[in-house]
């Protein structure tokens, strides 16, 4: 008999877009992505048959000029993504945007699909 580990199921790696437009990484995302301030994240769109374009994230082991730098504030990691979410027309000031990180591959490279959830912020 095999039992499910509740921690593995309940602790989904995710990122949250804060009111400032910064993308904050959960502790489980930090571990899954092996975050450090010498890395960066590439964020893009993937054409997915039947679903249209899906937002995806890919880790870069170094700081790259075309990627978002991974920064740290206290114990938390984040990326300055305000201009990206402005470009995408996301209302992160009135809605809390949460993206679950779903592991996948594209062109043989490991990526994470960003599965969107939105919660209206309390005023």
């Amino acid at each position: 008999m095999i039992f499910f580990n509740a921690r593995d199921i309940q602790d989904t790696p995710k990122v949250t877009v804060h009111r400032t437009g910064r993308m904050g990484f959960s502790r489980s995302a930090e571990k899954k992505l092996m975050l450090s301030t010498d890395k960066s994240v590439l964020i893009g769109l993937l054409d997915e048959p039947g679903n249209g374009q899906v937002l995806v994230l890919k880790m870069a082991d170094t700081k790259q000029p075309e990627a978002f730098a991974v920064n740290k504030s206290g114990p938390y990691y984040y990326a300055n993504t305000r201009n990206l979410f402005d470009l995408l027309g996301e209302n992160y000031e009135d809605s809390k945007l949460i993206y679950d990180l779903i592991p996948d591959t594209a062109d043989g490279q490991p990526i994470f699909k960003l599965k969107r959830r939105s919660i209206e912020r309390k005023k």
Side-chain angles (χ1 to χ4, degrees):
M1 184 179 306
I2 298 172
F3 291 95
F4 295 100
N5 184 330
R7 287 181 297 193
D8 292 341
I9 295 171
Q10 294 172 351
D11 200 18
T12 303
K14 62 183 170 267
V15 295
T16 302
V17 181
H18 299 270
R19 277 194 172 140
T20 61
R22 286 181 177 175
M23 178 182 278
F25 297 89
S26 69
R27 291 278 189 213
S28 56
E30 175 186 335
K31 291 175 188 172
K32 185 82 170 175
L33 300 173
M34 296 182 287
L35 293 176
S36 68
T37 55
D38 59 340
K39 295 184 176 186
S40 55
V41 293
L42 296 151
I43 301 172
L45 293 170
L46 175 69
D47 286 323
E48 193 171 70
N51 288 333
Q53 291 187 322
V54 177
L55 204 59
V56 295
L57 179 146
K58 179 181 172 191
M59 287 304 301
D61 289 332
T62 60
K63 292 215 183 260
Q64 297 182 4
E66 69 277 10
F68 296 92
V70 173
N71 301 300
K72 192 169 185 181
S73 178
Y76 301 103
Y77 288 95
Y78 70 93
N80 286 319
T81 53
R82 179 183 189 122
N83 292 338
L84 169 66
F85 288 105
D86 285 345
L87 177 70
L88 294 173
E90 292 286 3
N91 185 2
Y92 51 83
E93 292 176 348
D94 295 328
S95 296
K96 184 176 185 179
L97 302 178
I98 302 166
Y99 293 93
D100 295 328
L101 299 175
I102 310 300
D104 204 344
T105 58
D107 300 326
Q109 298 289 316
I111 62 164
F112 292 89
K113 290 181 184 174
L114 299 177
K115 183 178 176 185
R116 186 183 188 275
R117 294 185 278 145
S118 179
I119 302 168
E120 189 171 333
R121 292 189 191 275
K122 295 178 182 176
K123 304 282 179 179

